Amino acid sequence: MKILMLTPHYLPEIRSVSLLMSELAQDLAAQGNTVTVITPYPPEHMDEAQVTSPPAREEAKGVRIFRVRVLPFVKVAPAIRAVTHFTLAGSMAAAALRAGRHDVILAYSPPLTVGLACDVLKRAWRAPFVFNVQDLYPQALVDLGLVRNPVVLRVLQWLERHAYRHARAITVHSAGNRDALVARGIPSAKITVIPNWIDTAAVVPGDRNNGYRAEFGLGSRFVVLFAGVMGYAQDMAVMVEAAARLRDLGEQDVVFLLVGDGVRRAEAEALARARNLDTVRFLPFQPIDRYPQLVSAADCCLVTLQSTVATPVVPSKIAGILAAARPILGALPAGDARTLIEESGGGLCVAPGDAAGLASAVRRLMHDPALRAELGAAGRRYVEAHLSRTTAARAYNRLLNTIVTRDRADAQRKTVAG
């Protein structure tokens, strides 16, 4: 089976999306498929773009990778991002046509414009496409107040309807996302739930006193870690305010380590400076291969979302934290992310924006090592049972193979009938 993957992010870019799509491509190739990936170069202003300059074409771990150049779409004005998303779709379609026909297309969304590239290839090759929906756009943008112009909203809604209508199948990572699509009129038979995964062999419980603590002078302090994209959906202010409350309570033996980048980072840094907080430290994105050590060096890890987030968002970092057997502290609205943490038994949750509650939860974990161990062990058991990389890869391979087999059978029947 020849599989074409379209993704806006891929290694060496440091994002959870990049790792997920890279692992999926490699696993599909390992199962005997021919896999080609079309993806942009890492954004030029990101650290990983400076560390290495990936070639335009390469083969890595059995996967052919074609990279396309596009305008920036990370940490840029919304108008520039919108233009970039359309040019991204055109560049992907052109590169895919040069790469040759494939049996099936698997595309990551957002952005919704990738659906346009899929439609072009579907018509050119008469090949089906599967739309992997990670965020329900445009509703997620509306929730965050990022789309107010009615014309822009109508364009995004058209793109969404167009992609869902023409996709042979849609994959989502949670039951809440499936239910949201069914409520919009998408047939349930068209939707497959495949949770985002974690490589349980690569991310394992590790020594708290590892090289990270020495490298960054953390010593024996209680480390509260946030690692990932500091985007519009993440509530960075609640972390800073919780750190301020703990300082005011006399808890000096704690450090909030905020690792990553995004549009909210500057805001969080400004808040920490304004509160004169030396218990809040910022670091850039860390290399993917060092991520397990980073999480192991923490005593607990943060997952936060803005209270306005109404779509069923499940940050990918949750699985990684659970796999590392570190307790999660979530400041989250009701929804799939909070449900996952609570069902796993791997963490504690408070309401979104509840800095006092978050500070209290941190303090509770600081003074109860047995509870930390209990939560960590429960989280690890959960991911081994439900969120393994192997299980997800087999589910995707099974879905794609079923679609291709049916497509070939339909084509053969039409040939015979003709």
Side-chain angles (χ1 to χ4, degrees):
M1 182 168 54
K2 296 183 69 175
I3 303 169
L4 178 76
M5 292 179 60
L6 305 181
T7 173
H9 308 284
Y10 200 82
L11 293 178
E13 187 177 355
I14 303 173
R15 279 173 170 256
S16 57
V17 177
S18 311
L19 184 59
L20 284 172
M21 293 299 100
S22 299
E23 289 180 343
L24 180 56
Q26 293 162 15
D27 290 346
L28 290 172
Q31 293 180 77
N33 303 297
T34 299
V35 180
T36 303
V37 170
I38 310 293
T39 190
Y41 285 87
E44 292 183 358
H45 61 281
M46 303 292 278
D47 289 341
E48 57 269 35
Q50 309 304 320
V51 172
T52 180
S53 179
R57 298 185 182 187
E58 68 173 320
E59 182 164 333
K61 298 187 177 180
V63 178
R64 286 199 309 165
I65 304 166
F66 290 66
R67 290 188 173 86
V68 297
R69 295 201 179 276
V70 295
L71 295 169
F73 59 97
V74 178
K75 295 176 71 175
V76 296
I80 296 176
R81 180 179 292 198
V83 172
T84 301
H85 284 172
F86 280 97
T87 60
L88 172 64
S91 297
M92 282 184 160
L97 290 171
R98 290 194 298 270
R101 188 188 185 282
H102 286 68
D103 299 315
V104 65
I105 305 145
L106 174 62
Y108 179 101
S109 174
L112 288 168
T113 53
V114 174
L116 298 176
C118 291
D119 197 34
V120 169
L121 298 172
K122 172 187 174 182
R123 294 171 188 273
W125 295 340
R126 296 185 180 179
F129 76 87
V130 177
F131 213 49
N132 174 222
V133 178
Q134 291 287 323
D135 292 306
L136 296 179
Y137 277 24
Q139 188 56 51
L141 301 177
V142 173
D143 292 345
L144 296 169
L146 298 177
V147 174
R148 296 186 176 91
N149 187 303
V151 175
V152 172
L153 180 58
R154 284 196 294 272
V155 170
L156 291 171
Q157 288 172 335
W158 180 87
L159 287 169
E160 180 188 34
R161 290 193 303 270
H162 184 272
Y164 295 167
R165 183 170 64 252
H166 289 280
R168 182 68 59 84
I170 299 168
T171 59
V172 294
H173 56 73
S174 71
N177 279 280
R178 177 197 58 207
D179 295 345
L181 291 184
V182 170
R184 297 182 191 193
I186 308 300
S188 60
K190 196 174 190 176
I191 306 167
T192 301
V193 178
I194 305 177
N196 286 343
W197 58 92
I198 188 69
D199 188 341
T200 52
V203 182
V204 297
D207 184 7
R208 173 180 181 269
N209 297 309
N210 61 30
Y212 261 106
R213 284 191 171 256
E215 183 176 345
F216 296 111
L218 300 172
S220 61
R221 299 176 77 183
F222 189 87
V223 175
V224 183
L225 173 69
F226 174 89
V229 176
M230 302 178 187
Y232 289 110
Q234 283 70 45
D235 186 351
M236 305 304 297
V238 72
M239 307 179 202
V240 177
E241 180 60 28
R245 288 176 178 268
L246 286 166
R247 180 195 60 185
D248 295 344
L249 290 170
E251 297 286 6
Q252 293 295 327
D253 194 30
V254 60
V255 59
F256 281 64
L257 195 61
L258 309 187
V259 181
D261 204 351
V263 293
R264 296 279 189 195
R265 173 163 171 159
E267 171 190 325
E269 289 177 315
L271 288 171
R273 286 194 300 270
R275 300 301 294 269
N276 195 28
L277 284 171
D278 60 2
T279 56
V280 178
R281 295 179 56 185
F282 292 85
L283 292 174
F285 278 116
Q286 299 297 294
I288 292 289
D289 58 357
R290 296 195 69 192
Y291 177 77
Q293 286 182 284
L294 174 64
V295 179
S296 292
D299 294 287
C300 64
C301 299
L302 295 170
V303 179
T304 68
L305 291 172
Q306 300 282 354
S307 61
T308 54
V309 175
T311 52
V313 176
V314 182
S316 296
K317 65 170 64 70
I318 291 176
I321 299 166
L322 295 176
R326 291 299 182 265
I328 296 177
L329 293 182
L332 302 165
D336 288 1
R338 184 163 183 157
T339 298
L340 173 57
I341 294 170
E342 292 173 345
E343 285 187 351
S344 72
L348 306 172
C349 292
V350 301
D354 183 4
L358 189 60
S360 178
V362 171
R363 202 177 191 195
R364 181 182 174 190
L365 291 182
M366 285 180 68
H367 300 290
D368 193 342
L371 177 60
R372 297 201 303 271
E374 177 186 336
L375 295 174
R380 177 68 192 186
R381 287 195 299 271
Y382 186 88
V383 294
E384 288 178 340
H386 302 286
L387 303 178
S388 76
R389 174 177 172 179
T390 300
T391 299
R394 287 174 179 167
Y396 269 104
N397 190 63
R398 187 164 53 248
L399 173 65
L400 296 174
N401 190 62
T402 298
I403 289 171
V404 170
T405 300
R406 288 177 179 171
D407 198 64
R408 288 172 177 167
D410 289 344
Q412 187 174 11
R413 279 195 295 269
K414 290 177 181 178
T415 300
V416 172

